[in-house]
Amino acid sequence: MQFYSLAFVIFITVAIAAYYAIGRFVGKGQWIVLLCASIAFYAFSGWQNLIFIGTTALTIWLSGLAFAHFEALSKEARKAAGSREEKKAIKEHYRFYKRLVLVAALIINFGILGYIKYAEVLVGYIVPNSHWTSGILLPLGISFYTFQTVSYAIDTYNAKYDPERNFAKYLLFASWFPQLIQGPINRFDLLAQQLFEPHSFSAHEARGAFLQICYGALKKFAVANLLLLTIDPIIAHIDPSIPGSVVVIGILFYAIYQYADFSGGIDMALGFSRLFGIHMSPNFRQPYFSISLGDFWRRWHITLGAWMRDYVFYPFALLPGIKRWSKWLSAHCGRHLGRTLPAGIANILVFFLVGLWHGAESHFILWGLYNGIVIAASDLLTPLWDRMNKALHIDVGGKGHHVFAIIRTFIVVNIGWYFDLIEGVGNLNIAFSNTLFNFRPDLALAAIKSYVPHNAIIGLALASIVCIVIFVVSVLKENDRDVSERVLAAPAVVRGLIYGMMIVAIATSFVFAPAGGFMYANF
Amino acid sequence: MRTSRKMLSLLIVIVTIAVCVAAASFVLKPYGSKSQIIWNDFRQQENIDTLCIGSSLAARSFDPAAIDEEFGTHSFNLSTPNQQPAESYLGLKEAIEHHELKSVVYGIDFGTFQHHSNLYPGRVFLNEKWKDDPFFERFGDLEYALGDSNWMFKEKSINWLFPWTEQHARPSFSGLMDNVRMKLDGTSLETAAEANEKGWDYVGQGYGNYSQVVDYNKSKPTVFADRYESRPLDKRSLADLADIIELCNENDIDFIAIVPPMPEFSLISLQNHYNENSSALKAFVEEHGGTYYDFNLAKPELFKSEEGFYADFQHCNFTGAKATTEALGRLIKMQEAGESTDNLFYSLSERLADIDHISIVRFKDKKENGSLELMAEAFAGSNVEVEYRFLLKDGKTDEYSILRDYSTDPIFEFTPPSKGQHMVKVEARVVGSDSAYDRYAEHTVYF
């Protein structure tokens, strides 16, 4: 079900009315409304999808219960045990069972995800031109809910919190509908309690949510959709004759498109969730104001980055073998290398997986590796940068350097977008080589005019105006100004004008571009 | 007190949003759309007895004045751009309510029968139709038109609140200013429409058209098959057509379905797919008690398709519409006299074989291993053998040099002398012709 449709407006209106009416008149069980709404929302995308999310929720929920069960048995047995060694043996014994359950849960769920998402591409690698397909359409948001539920499995394995005993409640956590299209990847300890506790209607919260939804829709429809009309034809024309200047324009548009599409969709999802008084985890924090690639990844798709940090980076970096190697390096090659080299390897692994998460196609893997290698190299070379800054008397704390760092990071990120956007090593070579050696800015306008429909070029004017608005809002947010609160505190006429102009811009975008789904909806 | 202040504040926000939307609508919604003029004119007519309905193909193929001259009738062309069969049905129903119709001419547009477009409250046709209708009649129209509820899941289900998303004024500063000015200064609908659509002239009785003739030596010509996919006929659209014929039968109105003529290159582009659709529609119409004539398959003694009849790849211009309508008049007379009309139409293969010339030529370019592959494509009769030659224009002298002389091979590998833009031309002629060329196409290629 598209967010921008009458069906969704009716759906969410009924859900909100039922939710707060139950809260007001019954006083409990509001979460059941959320569960029904989530299942209904998911069923609209294809009832078969319920089987996938149901399987994931059930297996992970059972594994959580199993961990608690084994933990309880272990505790009891340890109480009865005499010696310390005996206690340790009992603990190991039950940990083995827990690990078995965890591995089984991971195999089942990553297995489903892998089969649906990667089997086709992998078979294509092994048997070229086989045209084999799994025959299963990617269930809506499968990557997001798989990662979200796996985090629960690992957390309950580590006894970070008690497992949820009620399957229906757990199913709600896994299937909470605003997060289903493209995340964010929520954590159980941050989201579940909000889902289950009672909420009463807050006009202020609803107004904030409405503003957030409008702002998200503005980014998605009046920027992302309009830019796509120019990006697609440019990428389709990548061949030896394409001027490098056109490739750069395509990449810059793609950088804006990615942000507008993904963060716009997330804003809408967060806004819809807020209408029920539920705050999901933020996923973006002005990423294009980052001062390093590492910083960028702490501001872009924050919940995926945090997931990778907690469930891949640290577990890998803290492996006994890696720790021993780190110590050895510190002793023989210096503390800096001992700290950064193992971390760099872990980063490369993390970003390899981030690339793979986007798809098994080689350009995604290259994109992931590029990010990992740049971050690792940047860490490794920190002493060199420090010395260079010192030698050149550069004031790294100054505003000038800050702006320089932002621009430098933006360029580094955009080089990464080449890998993400352009499929095929041959095309990638052409794109990079023409950017460097056949830039030809004199041909840019004529080439774009010949590639891109006239309508799309006019649509760019609207997108540009909205981009300026988004930029200004981002600058204010970066400077810790709460733009949303400022708008909500404005007189009613001013608020009406702001909403009105956003709505007109969103609607006008459809003059130039059809709706189109969210890019991450198929992840 | 606090609650009433909050309510007042909410009300102000809602009213301000509504004002913004209304202001945008005023600026962006075009004044003088074709549907607006046609419906406006329709309401001023009395005693219409012959009605033409259908999409832009019908709107630009039937000249009501030519019908009236032949038969002394009072005709009206209620066809509008992209009119769906369901909308034709609603228009016909409206006409039956207010006039005593005797004949209906329905212009078949294969495009509207290949997929079903959901009707929804934002459709321009419906909005113009509703202007003078009682409010509750809208629900009746929607009940008929909506049918399947899938539209509620699409963006259009919201966008009908923003009428400019369906149809908008020219998206430029001057276009929007002109639109506002015409709304304010009392410009007539006809003048506004003619200003909006350069070259379009409104004649009256629902009929307007262009005088221009399609360029047969265009740089990158469009053919019918480029626009419309090869798809089977849509069941819901056919059901709507059945409703139209049924409504005519119930009211004792003659129903004639006409496939308006299109340029030969468009017919050639469709090949056998054309046959499938046309034969299926003919059988369908006749099965329901209507009459079906395909002017693309007409023999010259009924209608001789000439190059000067067409304004673009699918629509007639004034001359073409007059010739089509006159031929239709002859057909109706023959039908009324009980004469057979079957021998006035070809089969598709006969029609394609009857074309003894090249209608158009075009070419595509593809980069291959450091050179350009130029692929020419001629649209000609089925028995016509075509030869091609390729030329390159000198950017400084504007003179052409021959890259490859005439050959029946439509493909030519070309290595441009330098990187950048090059103007390439392909000329085509019938084998054995001694003319320099019959048709050509030229456009810039990038290397």
Side-chain angles (χ1 to χ4, degrees):
Chain A
M1 196 189 307
Q2 282 190 36
F3 283 159
Y4 193 90
S5 67
L6 186 59
F8 184 75
V9 171
I10 294 170
F11 163 81
I12 200 152
T13 308
V14 170
I16 289 169
Y19 182 70
Y20 288 114
I22 297 251
R24 178 93 186 252
F25 300 114
V26 181
K28 58 179 182 178
Q30 277 176 299
W31 67 271
I32 295 169
V33 177
L34 302 184
L35 178 63
C36 293
S38 298
I39 290 174
F41 180 86
Y42 209 61
F44 273 118
S45 73
W47 64 267
Q48 297 92 331
N49 294 339
L50 289 172
I51 299 169
F52 290 103
I53 199 166
T55 306
T56 295
L58 187 65
T59 51
I60 298 283
W61 176 70
L62 286 173
S63 65
L65 291 184
F67 300 144
H69 177 68
F70 290 131
E71 196 57 47
L73 289 178
S74 167
K75 246 184 200 170
E76 217 167 277
R78 273 182 288 157
K79 250 186 208 171
S83 67
R84 218 172 148 184
E85 282 72 31
E86 204 179 340
K87 283 181 180 175
K88 206 175 167 189
I90 292 167
K91 199 173 180 181
E92 273 308 311
H93 174 75
Y94 284 106
R95 185 178 285 169
F96 171 76
Y97 286 118
K98 278 174 71 179
R99 199 170 287 163
L100 215 60
V101 171
L102 178 67
V103 169
L106 295 182
I107 287 175
I108 291 171
N109 288 287
F110 282 134
I112 293 172
L113 177 67
Y115 178 73
I116 296 173
K117 199 166 165 175
Y118 305 114
E120 209 170 303
V121 180
L122 293 178
V123 170
Y125 282 144
I126 298 162
V127 189
N129 305 318
S130 68
H131 303 299
W132 177 86
T133 63
S134 67
I136 303 169
L137 289 176
L138 204 62
L140 185 67
I142 186 169
S143 297
F144 294 97
Y145 71 68
T146 302
F147 272 51
Q148 179 162 317
T149 51
V150 162
S151 77
Y152 168 89
I154 298 172
D155 286 351
T156 49
Y157 171 83
N158 289 326
K160 190 177 170 191
Y161 42 74
D162 288 334
E164 174 56 55
R165 304 271 162 190
N166 183 333
F167 175 66
K169 283 188 171 179
Y170 184 74
L171 183 61
L172 171 59
F173 162 71
S175 66
W176 173 226
F177 76 87
Q179 78 197 1
L180 276 180
I181 289 186
Q182 52 175 2
I185 302 166
N186 289 295
R187 299 292 179 88
F188 186 81
D189 49 343
L190 297 176
L191 180 68
Q193 197 49 39
Q194 292 188 70
L195 291 170
F196 309 148
E197 70 192 8
H199 291 273
S200 48
F201 181 76
S202 155
H204 182 76
E205 188 74 350
R207 283 160 56 197
F210 181 67
L211 183 64
Q212 193 166 15
I213 292 164
C214 285
Y215 187 56
L218 190 72
K219 287 195 234 174
K220 163 66 186 162
F221 298 113
V223 177
N225 284 5
L226 295 179
L227 291 181
L228 195 60
L229 297 175
T230 301
I231 297 165
D232 278 348
I234 289 177
I235 298 311
H237 277 88
I238 288 193
D239 59 37
S241 70
I242 193 167
S245 52
V246 175
V247 178
V248 169
I249 289 170
I251 292 293
L252 288 175
F253 280 11
Y254 183 67
I256 303 169
Y257 161 78
Q258 278 255 41
Y259 174 69
D261 187 280
F262 197 10
S263 77
I266 289 288
D267 279 341
M268 291 171 81
L270 296 182
F272 289 126
S273 187
R274 277 177 72 186
L275 288 173
F276 298 87
I278 292 154
H279 290 250
M280 297 196 295
S281 303
N283 224 16
F284 289 90
R285 193 167 44 82
Q286 296 81 253
Y288 288 131
F289 289 112
S290 307
I291 51 166
S292 69
L293 193 57
D295 185 27
F296 175 81
W297 280 103
R298 286 186 290 275
R299 292 161 169 256
W300 178 281
H301 207 166
I302 296 168
T303 55
L304 178 69
W307 195 99
M308 288 289 173
R309 179 197 64 210
D310 293 346
Y311 304 113
V312 180
F313 182 89
Y314 284 130
F316 177 82
L318 296 177
L319 283 174
I322 299 290
K323 277 163 77 177
R324 276 198 300 276
W325 183 48
S326 174
K327 272 187 187 163
W328 184 89
L329 277 170
S330 295
H332 293 86
C333 309
R335 272 185 65 195
H336 175 71
L337 207 63
R339 187 180 59 79
T340 53
L341 194 56
I345 302 290
N347 265 321
I348 292 171
L349 172 69
V350 160
F351 281 99
F352 167 76
L353 291 175
V354 168
L356 191 63
W357 183 80
H358 282 77
E361 290 83 356
S362 56
H363 67 109
F364 286 131
I365 309 288
L366 285 172
W367 172 68
L369 289 173
Y370 165 81
N371 279 282
I373 290 167
V374 170
I375 290 174
S378 166
D379 280 351
L380 281 169
L381 298 173
T382 303
L384 186 70
W385 307 138
D386 290 345
R387 254 177 291 181
M388 209 163 77
N389 288 332
K390 215 173 172 184
L392 297 171
H393 305 291
I394 293 170
D395 175 16
V396 289
K399 269 196 171 171
H401 188 267
H402 186 74
V403 173
F404 164 75
I406 288 174
I407 295 168
R408 180 189 59 196
T409 307
F410 185 70
I411 293 168
V412 170
V413 169
N414 275 278
I415 293 170
W417 292 143
Y418 276 71
F419 296 104
D420 184 38
L421 177 64
I422 300 166
E423 291 179 33
V425 177
N427 282 344
L428 206 53
N429 265 336
I430 292 170
F432 275 125
S433 131
N434 284 14
T435 300
L436 293 172
F437 307 115
N438 183 26
F439 196 66
R440 297 299 302 271
D442 53 316
L443 291 179
L445 204 62
I448 287 175
K449 274 185 178 172
S450 75
Y451 301 160
V452 180
H454 179 64
N455 211 33
I457 293 175
I458 300 173
L460 288 180
L462 174 63
S464 307
I465 295 168
V466 179
C467 276
I468 292 168
V469 173
I470 294 169
F471 179 76
V472 171
V473 170
S474 301
V475 170
L476 291 170
K477 281 170 117 178
E478 187 64 8
N479 288 291
D480 293 329
R481 305 271 176 85
D482 192 336
V483 183
S484 171
E485 280 306 317
R486 292 281 283 271
V487 171
L488 295 179
V493 176
V494 176
R495 268 183 289 138
L497 273 173
I498 292 170
Y499 292 137
M501 286 194 286
M502 285 203 281
I503 290 168
V504 167
I506 291 163
T508 305
S509 73
F510 290 95
V511 168
F512 306 104
F518 290 100
M519 186 177 61
Y520 275 84
N522 289 325
F523 274 67
Chain B
M1 188 65 182
R2 258 188 88 184
T3 309
S4 60
R5 275 190 64 184
K6 276 185 179 172
M7 290 307 288
L8 180 68
S9 169
L10 179 65
L11 193 69
I12 292 170
V13 169
I14 292 170
V15 169
T16 315
I17 292 172
V19 168
C20 287
V21 171
S25 190
F26 185 77
V27 174
L28 295 163
K29 192 182 168 190
Y31 176 63
S33 70
K34 287 172 184 164
S35 290
Q36 200 177 3
I37 292 178
I38 291 164
W39 274 108
N40 189 53
D41 201 354
F42 178 78
R43 289 190 197 97
Q44 292 167 22
Q45 304 287 322
E46 286 176 5
N47 305 323
I48 296 172
D49 51 21
T50 304
L51 187 76
C52 303
I53 45 174
S55 68
S56 60
L57 290 188
R60 289 167 62 181
S61 299
F62 304 125
D63 177 352
I67 297 179
D68 295 348
E69 201 179 300
E70 192 83 20
F71 294 99
T73 50
H74 180 196
S75 315
F76 193 88
N77 194 338
L78 193 58
S79 311
T80 50
N82 194 27
Q83 190 178 104
Q84 299 299 306
E87 290 173 318
S88 300
Y89 172 82
L90 295 173
L92 172 62
K93 214 169 142 205
E94 177 94 355
I96 288 172
E97 277 171 26
H98 297 97
H99 303 274
E100 288 195 9
L101 293 186
K102 291 193 176 67
S103 304
V104 164
V105 178
Y106 181 68
I108 296 279
D109 179 347
F110 294 127
T112 61
F113 283 97
Q114 285 183 334
H115 59 88
H116 181 259
S117 295
N118 286 114
L119 298 190
Y120 54 95
R123 292 281 299 177
V124 176
F125 179 90
L126 291 181
N127 276 280
E128 295 303 332
K129 177 181 180 293
W130 286 340
K131 270 193 179 153
D132 279 359
D133 280 352
F135 184 76
F136 288 103
E137 202 164 294
R138 298 174 183 203
F139 294 103
D141 283 0
L142 284 176
E143 190 193 347
Y144 176 80
L146 294 177
D148 91 60
S149 54
N150 267 342
W151 74 283
M152 282 180 55
F153 291 84
K154 295 175 181 161
E155 74 271 16
K156 287 183 174 180
S157 61
I158 289 183
N159 279 347
W160 66 270
L161 294 168
F162 315 113
W164 69 90
T165 57
E166 183 70 16
Q167 203 176 30
H168 54 84
R170 195 156 32 90
S172 66
F173 184 73
S174 62
L176 299 179
M177 286 300 104
D178 285 347
N179 192 43
V180 171
R181 181 186 50 73
M182 289 190 292
K183 282 184 179 180
L184 293 174
D185 70 4
T187 305
S188 72
L189 281 175
E190 288 81 359
T191 311
E194 287 169 2
N196 291 340
E197 292 268 357
K198 298 281 178 238
W200 188 77
D201 289 316
Y202 186 66
V203 177
Q205 294 172 266
Y207 177 62
N209 213 331
Y210 296 82
S211 304
Q212 73 197 37
V213 177
V214 64
D215 184 357
Y216 288 82
N217 291 307
K218 211 173 171 182
S219 56
K220 289 180 179 175
T222 303
V223 298
F224 203 84
D226 297 338
R227 286 293 169 88
Y228 301 99
E229 300 166 46
S230 298
R231 297 168 80 173
L233 300 175
D234 173 73
K235 284 182 183 159
R236 275 210 58 191
S237 298
L238 285 176
D240 293 336
L241 178 60
D243 287 349
I244 294 172
I245 305 173
E246 186 64 27
L247 191 60
C248 288
N249 292 341
E250 281 169 10
N251 290 278
D252 206 17
I253 299 166
D254 289 334
F255 175 85
I256 306 166
I258 301 288
V259 182
M262 61 173 93
E264 284 167 339
F265 59 79
S266 276
L267 178 67
I268 294 164
S269 76
L270 289 164
Q271 295 287 330
N272 283 333
H273 178 62
Y274 182 87
N275 221 11
E276 286 161 25
N277 275 351
S278 187
S279 306
L281 271 169
K282 186 175 194 298
F284 187 85
V285 169
E286 289 175 350
E287 188 186 311
H288 286 81
T291 313
Y292 182 98
Y293 296 121
D294 187 340
F295 272 61
N296 286 307
L297 304 180
K299 287 185 176 172
E301 47 268 43
L302 172 66
F303 173 80
K304 182 161 172 50
S305 180
E306 291 179 15
E307 288 176 355
F309 285 179
Y310 305 100
D312 56 42
F313 73 95
Q314 59 176 343
H315 297 108
C316 286
N317 55 23
F318 276 119
T319 317
K322 194 161 188 295
T324 306
T325 315
E326 285 168 356
L328 174 63
R330 287 195 291 280
L331 263 180
I332 293 172
K333 277 188 175 167
M334 287 174 75
Q335 197 185 326
E336 284 173 354
E339 292 174 37
S340 167
T341 54
D342 291 347
N343 59 346
L344 292 174
F345 295 92
Y346 287 121
S347 67
L348 179 67
S349 56
E350 286 169 342
R351 174 75 178 102
L352 295 179
D354 186 55
I355 300 169
D356 61 358
H357 54 271
I358 301 166
S359 184
I360 54 161
V361 65
R362 64 182 182 178
F363 72 98
K364 289 178 190 165
D365 60 288
K366 196 171 85 179
K367 282 87 191 170
E368 283 285 341
N369 304 323
S371 65
L372 280 174
E373 188 180 81
L374 305 175
M375 292 158 288
E377 183 184 24
F379 294 81
S382 54
N383 295 328
V384 175
E385 203 181 354
V386 182
E387 57 183 5
Y388 310 86
R389 75 171 169 187
F390 295 89
L391 302 99
L392 179 68
K393 189 176 183 178
D394 188 313
K396 288 175 189 155
T397 62
D398 278 356
E399 282 182 6
Y400 288 92
S401 57
I402 295 173
L403 293 170
R404 193 203 73 186
D405 211 344
Y406 276 115
S407 155
T408 52
D409 184 0
I411 298 172
F412 172 59
E413 289 278 341
F414 163 54
T415 308
S418 61
K419 289 210 168 193
Q421 307 177 48
H422 300 278
M423 181 63 86
V424 172
K425 184 180 190 182
V426 62
E427 293 177 341
R429 68 180 182 190
V430 176
V431 171
S433 164
D434 51 10
S435 60
Y437 62 85
D438 295 340
R439 289 281 185 254
Y440 70 84
E442 66 176 339
H443 58 81
T444 307
V445 296
Y446 295 88
F447 182 67

